[in-house]
Amino acid sequence: MTENISQKQQLQDSSFEDYEEKPYSSEETFEEEEEVEVPFAEEQFEKYVISIRRVAKVLKGGKRLSFSAAVVVGNKAGMVGYAIGKAREVPSAIDKAARKAMKNLIQVKIVDETIPHAVVGKFGATKVLLKPAKKGRGVIAGLTLRAIMDAAGVGNVVTKIIGSTNPINVAQAAIEALKQLRTEEEIKSLRTSQ
């Protein structure tokens, strides 16, 4: 009888040695994400947050909330990009959008700190008019367009939004307008090649 009790006690002692304390489901440990090293080229780009919205997906258990961020990135030297990122938290939504925007960069033609000619960009119900301005005039624009022009490095420009002023549509229309810009040399070469 005493042998049985001592064997049981040995079994219990050995089972406690092998036992690892595991956290409850609500106390799960999350591994910290490693910081991705940013190449030198990406460090010189500035990011401008133009819109943050709380969005909800309705499920049978209730609403699942997340955040949508629209971000413009630019190096203030003619390169600009725009994208939207969605995530459960605001900082990660902004980071996602910035990474996407870095992949959608466009080259903006700048002559004497302004754009070479007037141009109209359209997206949805939004039209954006961009006109060149004399040196010293500055950026005459609303919040969204100012962020895009600053990111691109355009110092003097007059802008006008016609139609919807939704920041996402305004940003898309502005990017479309900037894609249409041509310098005098490019236009001459196009005319001579025809």
Side-chain angles (χ1 to χ4, degrees):
M1 182 104 176
T2 55
E3 287 176 20
N4 269 349
I5 294 172
S6 63
Q7 285 177 347
K8 283 182 182 177
Q9 197 160 11
Q10 283 177 352
L11 283 171
Q12 285 178 347
D13 290 342
S14 66
S15 65
F16 279 121
E17 289 169 7
D18 297 337
Y19 177 73
E20 289 180 29
E21 194 170 320
K22 293 183 180 166
Y24 295 110
S25 61
S26 63
E27 297 175 359
E28 286 183 27
T29 56
F30 294 102
E31 294 178 21
E32 290 184 24
E33 291 182 23
E34 293 179 21
E35 284 189 25
V36 180
E37 196 169 308
V38 180
F40 180 72
E42 287 186 24
E43 287 178 6
Q44 55 189 313
F45 282 84
E46 286 189 34
K47 61 183 173 186
Y48 300 84
V49 179
I50 57 173
S51 167
I52 295 177
R53 298 185 306 170
R54 192 182 78 175
V55 293
K57 182 179 182 181
V58 180
L59 303 168
K60 66 179 181 181
K63 293 177 184 174
R64 180 180 293 161
L65 299 175
S66 61
F67 293 90
S68 168
V71 174
V72 174
V73 297
N75 65 352
K76 296 189 177 236
M79 296 291 285
V80 69
Y82 160 79
I84 298 172
K86 286 184 184 177
R88 299 296 291 277
E89 288 138 17
V90 175
S92 50
I94 292 170
D95 288 343
K96 259 188 200 179
R99 272 183 273 145
K100 269 169 110 176
M102 289 298 292
K103 294 176 185 173
N104 299 328
L105 291 173
I106 62 165
Q107 181 72 44
V108 179
K109 313 302 190 286
I110 300 172
V111 179
D112 296 328
E113 292 186 24
T114 188
I115 56 177
H117 56 85
V119 68
V120 176
K122 296 177 186 175
F123 185 83
T126 302
K127 275 188 197 174
V128 170
L129 171 65
L130 306 177
K131 287 166 57 174
K134 291 181 181 175
K135 204 169 197 125
R137 183 83 190 261
V139 178
I140 311 297
L143 186 72
T144 306
L145 283 174
R146 181 179 297 279
I148 293 169
M149 295 302 140
D150 285 347
V154 179
N156 302 296
V157 68
V158 177
T159 65
K160 177 70 182 161
I161 300 170
I162 302 161
S164 170
T165 56
N166 178 342
I168 293 170
N169 286 356
V170 169
Q172 290 277 19
I175 295 293
E176 289 302 314
L178 292 173
K179 283 180 185 175
Q180 296 171 24
L181 291 175
R182 302 280 180 267
T183 60
E184 195 175 333
E185 293 79 30
E186 286 175 334
I187 293 168
K188 281 181 182 176
S189 67
L190 285 170
R191 286 181 182 168
T192 55
S193 65
Q194 290 178 349

